[in-house]
Amino acid sequence: MMEPGKFIKEALVVGNPKWEQSIKRQEDIYHKTPDIRSEFSRDYNRILHCKAYRRLKHKTQVFYATTNDHICTRIEHVNHVASVSYSIANYLGLNTELTSAIALGHDLGHAPFGHVGEHHLSKIAKEEIGETFWHEENSLFLVDMLETLPNLSGKENNMNLTYAVRDGIISHCGEVNENAVFPRAEAIDLRDIERPNQYSPYSWEACIVKIADKISYLGRDIEDAISLKILSREQLSELETIAEHIKKVPVDQINNTVLMHDFINNLCEMSSPGNGILFSDRYLELINKVKAFNYKNIYLHKRMSYYNEYASLIISSIYKVLSGMYVKGGMEAELKRYESIYPSLAGAFSYWLMKYSNLNLEERAGTKFANALIYDIRDEKQYRKAVIHYISSMTDHFAVKLFGELTRF
């Protein structure tokens, strides 16, 4: 039986034992007077206004379909997650401002070309610097260290989000098959997290976003696959059999809303503070069947393999050229030399290094950059890490543009 407001006493609001920790920022932040917004509402606005959010419109979700305006991009995906998590949190009595902020920011650090790009950057990071690369951690690194916003005097400062939003971002991985998600009790240093799903999220709201992420992408990926004629007649028949357990609709009418509506209702019905955020056994089995169907028939489709090779070639080529520019103690001159060969690639990267490294501190002093310096490029490993982070921030379009510059004479 549906029961609204079951989590109202658990909502992360003033009076919750986790409140003070949850609204902590890494540094003091300016305040406008008056300001009607809550701390989480401010975070939502800071994410909405940052350039990394804008770039999501040109980052692949699953299908690299630059000529089709109706195929899901990364920016549409994060808005789907925000919508689903709002519906769930609002019904259960949780803090919707917090879920909205986490959802909007959860994929800011996703690599170009979707999970293919993430996989290839992960391989490069392991081979080149002996470190891991995974998009949840990179999203936290981006909001903590890379992305900036102007303060009241126009200086570019780091985003400086609240602990609860930062936690939700790094804890959002939806690749979980077990039922019943509970928040963890303790606050930890989020930068100590070493792998996806190592810890549960800190708040019930972040648990909601974690599940909403999974609900959102499974249905939409199927909708796009049908639109792009990825699925065969036999696969469509298999999908229709699965969908019959959810809604009895013709396969050509299956879309994100049809597939996911009952999952949201079932989650709201079954979840409680005592039992956790969960589906019924039947719906958990169904969602895992949908996920298995997607992997077998969509993500591992032969047509995707051509795209995977294309994306990997672009990323590896850009990495090789940028990492090959390294000259210890002479980077400024080397970058200038490369700007005459690859003006867009070397020019944009030089500017990026000035913002985040000790490449040219004298020139940097004349800019509005007041963000933290990250890389000491006298160390080749740190330089290579900077290259990896730079590539991860690119849109598909920009990466393709740079690859075109590399291959033209």
Side-chain angles (χ1 to χ4, degrees), residues 30-49:
Y30 68 87
H31 286 272
K32 296 178 180 178
T33 305
D35 194 341
I36 64 172
R37 299 170 300 170
S38 70
E39 293 300 320
F40 300 144
S41 180
R42 291 190 73 186
D43 281 359
Y44 178 89
N45 292 148
R46 292 177 75 76
I47 294 167
L48 184 67
H49 295 151

Side-chain angles (χ1 to χ4, degrees), residues 44 47-48 53 56 78-79 82 99-108:
Y44 178 89
I47 294 167
L48 184 67
Y53 175 76
L56 294 180
V78 302
N79 282 288
T99 57
S100 294
I102 295 170
L104 206 67
H106 81 277
D107 270 354
L108 288 179

Side-chain angles (χ1 to χ4, degrees), residues 38-319:
S38 70
E39 293 300 320
F40 300 144
S41 180
R42 291 190 73 186
D43 281 359
Y44 178 89
N45 292 148
R46 292 177 75 76
I47 294 167
L48 184 67
H49 295 151
C50 78
K51 291 181 179 178
Y53 175 76
R54 300 173 197 177
R55 292 196 297 268
L56 294 180
K57 66 178 174 288
H58 292 308
K59 289 197 174 192
T60 291
Q61 173 63 13
V62 172
F63 300 106
Y64 181 70
T66 55
T67 60
N68 191 326
D69 293 335
H70 301 133
I71 298 303
C72 190
T73 62
R74 188 64 58 177
I75 200 168
E76 187 179 348
H77 165 70
V78 302
N79 282 288
H80 279 311
V81 176
S83 174
V84 171
S85 58
Y86 178 90
S87 295
I88 297 170
N90 185 57
Y91 185 82
L92 295 178
L94 292 167
N95 189 329
T96 57
E97 290 185 342
L98 177 53
T99 57
S100 294
I102 295 170
L104 206 67
H106 81 277
D107 270 354
L108 288 179
H110 227 298
F113 308 111
H115 286 285
V116 175
E118 178 183 10
H119 175 76
H120 200 69
L121 280 178
S122 178
K123 181 181 177 185
I124 290 172
K126 183 177 180 180
E127 293 176 351
E128 294 288 308
I129 61 175
E131 295 186 9
T132 58
F133 178 93
W134 39 292
H135 80 269
E136 294 92 344
E137 189 277 335
N138 196 54
S139 293
L140 177 68
F141 182 80
L142 184 142
V143 299
D144 281 356
M145 305 300 295
L146 294 179
E147 199 60 24
T148 61
L149 289 168
N151 61 19
L152 294 178
S153 61
K155 290 287 187 179
E156 292 284 328
N157 291 130
N158 295 101
M159 288 188 74
N160 196 19
L161 302 180
T162 59
Y163 181 87
V165 172
R166 295 172 59 238
D167 169 79
I169 287 172
I170 195 171
S171 303
H172 81 260
C173 180
E175 296 300 313
V176 288
N177 293 319
E178 71 275 10
N179 217 358
V181 180
F182 292 87
R184 68 178 190 276
E186 73 283 359
I188 59 175
D189 187 335
L190 300 175
R191 295 183 186 175
D192 289 340
I193 298 177
E194 298 178 341
R195 63 182 185 276
N197 290 318
Q198 183 178 357
Y199 295 98
S200 295
Y202 187 59
S203 65
W204 283 109
E205 286 81 356
C207 292
I208 294 295
V209 176
K210 186 181 182 76
I211 301 301
D213 185 30
K214 190 172 185 177
I215 291 174
S216 300
Y217 80 75
L218 288 176
R220 185 53 202 269
D221 294 350
I222 289 174
E223 186 177 339
D224 285 348
I226 292 173
S227 297
L228 294 171
K229 298 180 171 35
I230 294 290
L231 302 174
S232 68
R233 189 179 299 277
E234 292 76 15
Q235 290 164 341
L236 289 171
S237 177
E238 180 184 349
L239 176 60
E240 192 164 34
T241 300
I242 294 172
E244 282 178 355
H245 295 280
I246 308 169
K247 289 285 188 183
K248 294 187 180 298
V249 295
V251 70
D252 61 355
Q253 294 179 22
I254 292 174
N255 56 40
N256 203 27
T257 301
V258 167
L259 278 173
M260 296 302 131
H261 175 78
D262 281 12
F263 283 119
I264 293 171
N265 283 348
N266 181 258
L267 189 78
C268 289
E269 179 181 358
M270 298 302 299
S271 299
S272 69
N275 294 327
I277 305 297
L278 78 165
F279 297 102
S280 68
D281 290 343
R282 173 171 170 261
Y283 274 85
L284 179 64
E285 180 184 2
L286 285 173
I287 204 166
N288 285 333
K289 282 183 177 180
V290 173
K291 179 180 174 182
F293 176 89
N294 282 17
Y295 271 90
K296 181 178 70 171
N297 300 306
I298 299 175
Y299 311 140
L300 299 178
H301 193 280
K302 186 175 182 179
R303 282 175 63 186
M304 297 294 288
S305 67
Y306 308 133
Y307 160 71
N308 295 353
E309 292 173 8
Y310 174 68
S312 296
L313 176 62
I314 291 174
I315 289 175
S316 61
S317 298
I318 294 172
Y319 177 80

Side-chain angles (χ1 to χ4, degrees), residues 128-129 318-328 331-332 334-335 338 345-346 349-350 352-353 357-359 374-390:
E128 294 288 308
I129 61 175
I318 294 172
Y319 177 80
K320 286 176 184 177
V321 172
L322 288 178
S323 62
M325 293 180 186
Y326 185 75
V327 176
K328 190 170 185 177
M331 280 304 306
E332 286 185 55
E334 190 69 359
L335 286 167
Y338 269 96
L345 177 63
F349 186 53
S350 295
W352 195 84
L353 283 178
S357 79
N358 56 357
L359 173 69
I374 308 170
Y375 314 104
D376 180 356
I377 60 169
R378 295 169 296 187
D379 182 318
E380 186 173 0
K381 180 179 177 180
Q382 289 197 39
Y383 174 83
R384 290 177 181 271
K385 184 184 292 189
V387 173
I388 291 168
H389 287 150
Y390 178 60

